[in-house]
Amino acid sequence: MSASPQPHETHELGLAQPITLADIAREAGTSPSTASRALSGRGYVSPAARDRLLAVADRLGYVPNASARTLKRRSSRVIGVVVSDLGNQFYARLAAGIEQTLREADYQMMVLGDNSEGDEELDGARTFLAMRAPGVIMTPVSSDAGELLRSQGVAVVEVDRRLTEGCDAVVIDNEAGARAATEHLLSLGHTRIALLGVDTEWTTDAGRLAGYRAALAAARLPADDRLIVRIPVHVDADERIEALLRDERPTAIFAANNQLAERAWRLIRRRGLHLPGDLSLVAFDDVPWMQMVDPGLTVVEQPTLELGRCAAKLLLQRLESPSLPPAVECLQPHLLVRGSTAMLVR
Amino acid sequence: MSASPQPHETHELGLAQPITLADIAREAGTSPSTASRALSGRGYVSPAARDRLLAVADRLGYVPNASARTLKRRSSRVIGVVVSDLGNQFYARLAAGIEQTLREADYQMMVLGDNSEGDEELDGARTFLAMRAPGVIMTPVSSDAGELLRSQGVAVVEVDRRLTEGCDAVVIDNEAGARAATEHLLSLGHTRIALLGVDTEWTTDAGRLAGYRAALAAARLPADDRLIVRIPVHVDADERIEALLRDERPTAIFAANNQLAERAWRLIRRRGLHLPGDLSLVAFDDVPWMQMVDPGLTVVEQPTLELGRCAAKLLLQRLESPSLPPAVECLQPHLLVRGSTAMLVR
DNA sequence: CAAAGGTGTGAGATCGTTACCACACTACCG
DNA sequence: CGGTAGTGTGGTAACGATCTCACACCTTTG
């Protein structure tokens, strides 16, 4: 083996170091300045020189060094996105919507997940600060991250939840959605309606709780605190839900997000209860499985993709005109009745 | 309004420009070099100076400029990930696994979706090249992107599919999984077993087809080409599946991925057919809804999270020792029998 | 014919960080 | 006491792209 002559492998041996603007300029017989103007499309270049430079760049497979560009321009084309949990289809879809719109405007998206943890969110903010992202979209956990970013001149849009006063935001009309869900249950004759929610100060949960209460109040029904189950973030919901199903079981449950709905659904099934005969169930947020199970879940459907798109649009707008007054968009959810809710029979 | 005196808002007016190393150095009375050594933790610094610098940095909220660092070091801490479709829970989970492992090693992950399009994949590669990502993990569509990256000295790991010879890769034993699924159906007495797969040259589909064929061959059954339905990428599968369900319906279907399984499942239901009475169904890849529907789907479960983790580990290893021979890891799937498959009754 | 204006180019400084190198200082050894 | 070794520091030149400026060349016009 060592005796066999080594074949020429000139193009393989070195980790061919990247082509730079200077290389292009040299090859095309211009200065780096001109090359920069031609390839970035800013400033005067004669058509002849431009074509020549473009051709050379193409031939050599030139890829501009993003770090150098960002360093010089003091701003990158990467928009940061921080969501609670990428594994949750709601957030995944949200991110997809954001990506769509950003891509059209020729921005990149970088997604990070905090786990609904203020610390991780702050880390994320610092990451984007370090990358000189011009803007960040997030489902905020605490307002620290947003404030840090904004203090450094980074545009911030809050999506789904609204935490920081004076910040652009896109939200769902949670109260209306929750009211619709609750009214639907009331109209079916239910009076013992449980609310399954997350125990936070977030506008989502607060809004959904408010909508639930409003519907009950409008029906002149007292809200029974034992039926309002609020589970802290990061706490396993199963125990609380089981207790709810065991003791003085309500005739209907309104689950305020897709995860709680899934937990509830599984426990209902495990207990051998039947939807909607033994119990009615409504979920806030529609995800694919809810349509596939039998009976399908009645849900408050959110325009999730649109939520993301809208947030991205708002961000782009803010980047263009930083001095505009803060905008808050509110999208309407709507009730989609499937088979998991039915008339109360006694 | 215009008459009211403007209050001092010194800290609000300017988009407070970021703190730099030089600022820290000046404040702490050292040179930038020393500050750099202290804050990046490379090279000699006296404990006294280090503490002082760290304190100042902390006080001023210093965030290192990632672009400058990347430019100088000629390599960033961002690992690129390109997957086919982030909306698909399989890829989402894969990315989650990758992220977990990378985070532990203090790398960031940037995910991009090509839509199983070679062009978009190549764009992604160029993006990561521009960002000077030291490594990229991808579910390859064509080998162009990987080759481009590797030619520039970027470490590449292929995951799920294997396309490029001499490239690190982590895959599932598709053939074994498909064989297990098919043998399971055969053992239930099925002989007219359809295969629903994607029409590509990818190792996933090729392996699953091979496993299917191998099982049939071992049972001395001829493979009926009309039962092998291979749908090109980006083509709607519904028509082909409907045709399959209509004409000379097979008694069992093996769907080679979660999406085809979902399409098939929906069409089976729409047609009013019952699982497993009228038809048995097995899916390759287990996703949540398959356990929630009734009957639950029999599946070939893949260690998806582990697949991602393993790919990330391989990449980290490669970054550490670039000259190691290429490694290919193969993980085992396993059959999980639920209710969608049953003994054939005639 | 001088002045004014457009067109196209290149020199050179700069963005913020790092790394190489030289240097200064102390300490210890033969 | 000269010499080697270890500590700790700062000067300076990069990394690659951009951008301001000055300048050179053409027209056009009062």
Side-chain angles (χ1 to χ4, degrees):
Chain A
M1 224 183 242
S2 62
S4 74
Q6 286 298 113
H8 267 282
E9 291 206 358
T10 331
H11 73 284
E12 264 286 7
L13 65 85
L15 309 82
Q17 62 189 2
I19 312 286
T20 71
L21 247 193
D23 297 331
I24 307 289
R26 197 176 330 105
E27 191 81 2
T30 75
S31 74
S33 312
T34 305
S36 169
R37 267 168 303 197
L39 298 184
S40 66
R42 331 179 135 200
Y44 282 129
V45 202
S46 67
R50 226 228 355 262
D51 291 351
R52 198 151 29 94
L53 284 159
L54 251 36
V56 174
D58 192 52
R59 179 159 58 79
L60 301 188
Y62 170 67
V63 179
N65 184 322
S67 324
R69 177 172 285 178
T70 300
L71 178 58
K72 181 64 205 185
R73 292 212 188 141
R74 308 166 125 228
S75 170
S76 75
R77 295 295 284 184
V78 177
I79 298 292
V81 174
V82 189
V83 295
S84 292
D85 172 17
L86 270 166
N88 188 323
Q89 293 191 306
F90 169 73
Y91 294 108
R93 228 171 134 64
L94 192 63
I98 294 173
E99 214 263 345
Q100 251 178 42
T101 300
L102 289 184
R103 174 185 293 260
E104 283 165 21
D106 204 35
Y107 278 93
Q108 311 274 160
M109 169 179 88
M110 175 151 177
V111 207
L112 253 41
D114 54 52
N115 288 110
S116 298
E117 297 272 17
D119 293 352
E120 293 192 37
E121 185 183 44
L122 205 54
D123 275 356
R126 269 191 279 261
T127 300
F128 294 134
L129 225 42
M131 298 178 58
R132 291 294 179 276
V136 171
I137 298 174
M138 51 178 165
T139 56
V141 172
S142 113
S143 59
D144 298 346
E147 272 163 21
L148 172 61
L149 289 165
R150 278 147 53 88
S151 79
Q152 301 293 310
V154 178
V156 175
V157 173
E158 294 185 339
V159 65
D160 183 46
R161 308 195 270 267
R162 196 152 116 66
L163 255 186
T164 314
E165 206 55 44
C167 183
D168 288 317
V170 187
V171 296
I172 295 285
D173 190 339
N174 292 295
E175 189 164 344
R179 195 166 344 102
T182 313
E183 277 165 2
H184 167 65
L185 292 170
L186 289 167
S187 76
L188 292 171
H190 293 273
T191 53
R192 294 184 40 78
I193 303 173
L195 171 79
L196 215 53
V198 187
D199 192 8
T200 67
E201 296 304 313
W202 301 344
T203 51
T204 39
D205 302 296
R208 290 168 202 181
L209 175 58
Y212 163 85
R213 283 193 198 278
L216 291 187
R220 302 186 188 286
L221 274 175
D224 182 345
D225 279 348
R226 283 163 309 174
L227 292 181
I228 299 184
V229 179
R230 307 189 68 196
I231 293 144
V233 199
H234 296 135
V235 169
D236 183 34
D238 285 12
E239 213 167 304
R240 300 287 305 278
I241 299 175
E242 271 188 331
L244 183 69
L245 295 178
R246 195 180 333 109
D247 321 326
E248 309 185 62
R249 194 169 74 227
T251 62
I253 297 181
F254 169 40
N257 68 40
N258 75 52
Q259 278 197 14
L260 287 173
E262 179 171 338
R263 298 318 310 163
W265 186 90
R266 295 188 112 110
L267 292 175
I268 288 168
R269 185 168 67 163
R270 182 172 329 150
R271 253 184 143 12
L273 297 173
H274 290 283
L275 292 177
D278 298 322
L279 195 66
S280 283
L281 179 63
V282 186
F284 202 112
D285 188 27
D286 188 24
V287 287
W289 68 263
M290 296 180 178
Q291 194 207 119
M292 304 181 75
V293 296
D294 187 40
L297 254 61
T298 294
V299 298
V300 178
E301 189 190 16
Q302 318 186 66
T304 314
L305 211 60
E306 186 55 28
L307 197 65
R309 280 205 214 99
C310 195
K313 262 183 238 152
L314 216 56
L315 183 67
L316 293 173
Q317 193 177 305
R318 163 82 355 153
L319 291 177
E320 220 163 300
S321 22
S323 56
L324 246 46
V328 177
E329 305 246 0
C330 183
L331 306 184
Q332 287 302 320
H334 78 274
L335 185 71
L336 197 59
V337 178
R338 297 203 185 102
S340 67
T341 48
M343 209 71 168
L344 179 66
V345 289
R346 53 193 84 226
Chain B
M1 222 183 243
S2 62
S4 76
Q6 284 299 113
H8 268 283
E9 290 206 2
T10 331
H11 74 284
E12 264 286 6
L13 64 87
L15 308 83
Q17 62 189 1
I19 313 286
T20 71
L21 248 192
D23 297 330
I24 307 290
R26 194 174 336 103
E27 191 82 4
T30 75
S31 74
S33 311
T34 305
S36 168
R37 265 166 297 180
L39 299 184
S40 66
R42 331 178 134 201
Y44 282 130
V45 201
S46 67
R50 225 224 359 258
D51 292 350
R52 198 149 30 94
L53 284 159
L54 250 35
V56 173
D58 192 54
R59 179 158 58 80
L60 301 188
Y62 169 68
V63 180
N65 184 322
S67 324
R69 176 171 287 180
T70 300
L71 177 59
K72 182 64 205 186
R73 296 228 249 243
R74 312 172 112 208
S75 170
S76 74
R77 295 295 286 185
V78 176
I79 298 292
V81 174
V82 189
V83 295
S84 292
D85 170 18
L86 270 166
N88 187 323
Q89 294 191 307
F90 170 73
Y91 295 109
R93 229 173 133 64
L94 192 63
I98 295 173
E99 214 263 346
Q100 252 179 41
T101 301
L102 289 184
R103 174 186 292 262
E104 284 164 20
D106 205 34
Y107 278 93
Q108 312 273 159
M109 169 179 89
M110 176 150 177
V111 207
L112 253 41
D114 54 53
N115 289 110
S116 299
E117 297 272 16
D119 293 352
E120 293 192 39
E121 184 183 44
L122 205 54
D123 276 357
R126 268 192 280 261
T127 299
F128 293 135
L129 226 41
M131 299 178 55
R132 291 292 180 279
V136 172
I137 298 175
M138 51 177 163
T139 56
V141 172
S142 112
S143 60
D144 297 347
E147 272 162 21
L148 171 62
L149 288 165
R150 278 148 52 89
S151 79
Q152 300 293 310
V154 178
V156 175
V157 173
E158 294 186 339
V159 65
D160 184 44
R161 309 196 269 267
R162 195 153 114 69
L163 218 61
T164 313
E165 206 54 44
C167 183
D168 289 316
V170 187
V171 296
I172 294 286
D173 190 339
N174 292 295
E175 190 165 343
R179 195 165 345 103
T182 313
E183 278 166 3
H184 167 64
L185 291 171
L186 288 167
S187 75
L188 293 172
H190 294 274
T191 52
R192 294 184 40 76
I193 303 172
L195 172 79
L196 214 56
V198 187
D199 193 8
T200 66
E201 297 304 314
W202 301 344
T203 50
T204 39
D205 301 295
R208 289 166 204 183
L209 175 58
Y212 164 84
R213 282 193 198 279
L216 291 186
R220 302 186 186 289
L221 275 175
D224 182 345
D225 279 348
R226 284 164 306 175
L227 292 180
I228 299 184
V229 179
R230 305 190 67 196
I231 294 145
V233 199
H234 296 136
V235 168
D236 183 33
D238 285 13
E239 213 168 303
R240 299 286 306 278
I241 299 174
E242 269 185 333
L244 183 68
L245 294 178
R246 196 180 333 107
D247 321 326
E248 308 186 62
R249 194 168 75 227
T251 62
I253 297 182
F254 170 39
N257 68 39
N258 75 52
Q259 278 196 10
L260 287 172
E262 180 170 339
R263 297 318 308 162
W265 186 89
R266 294 186 113 107
L267 292 174
I268 287 168
R269 185 168 67 162
R270 179 167 336 145
R271 255 188 150 347
L273 297 173
H274 289 284
L275 290 176
D278 298 321
L279 195 67
S280 283
L281 179 63
V282 186
F284 201 112
D285 188 27
D286 187 25
V287 287
W289 68 263
M290 297 180 176
Q291 195 206 119
M292 303 181 75
V293 296
D294 187 39
L297 255 60
T298 295
V299 299
V300 179
E301 188 189 18
Q302 318 186 65
T304 314
L305 211 61
E306 187 54 27
L307 197 64
R309 280 204 214 101
C310 195
K313 261 183 241 153
L314 216 54
L315 183 67
L316 293 173
Q317 193 178 306
R318 163 82 354 151
L319 291 177
E320 220 163 301
S321 22
S323 56
L324 246 47
V328 177
E329 304 245 1
C330 183
L331 306 184
Q332 287 302 321
H334 79 273
L335 185 72
L336 198 57
V337 178
R338 297 202 185 101
S340 68
T341 47
M343 210 68 169
L344 179 66
V345 287
R346 52 193 85 226

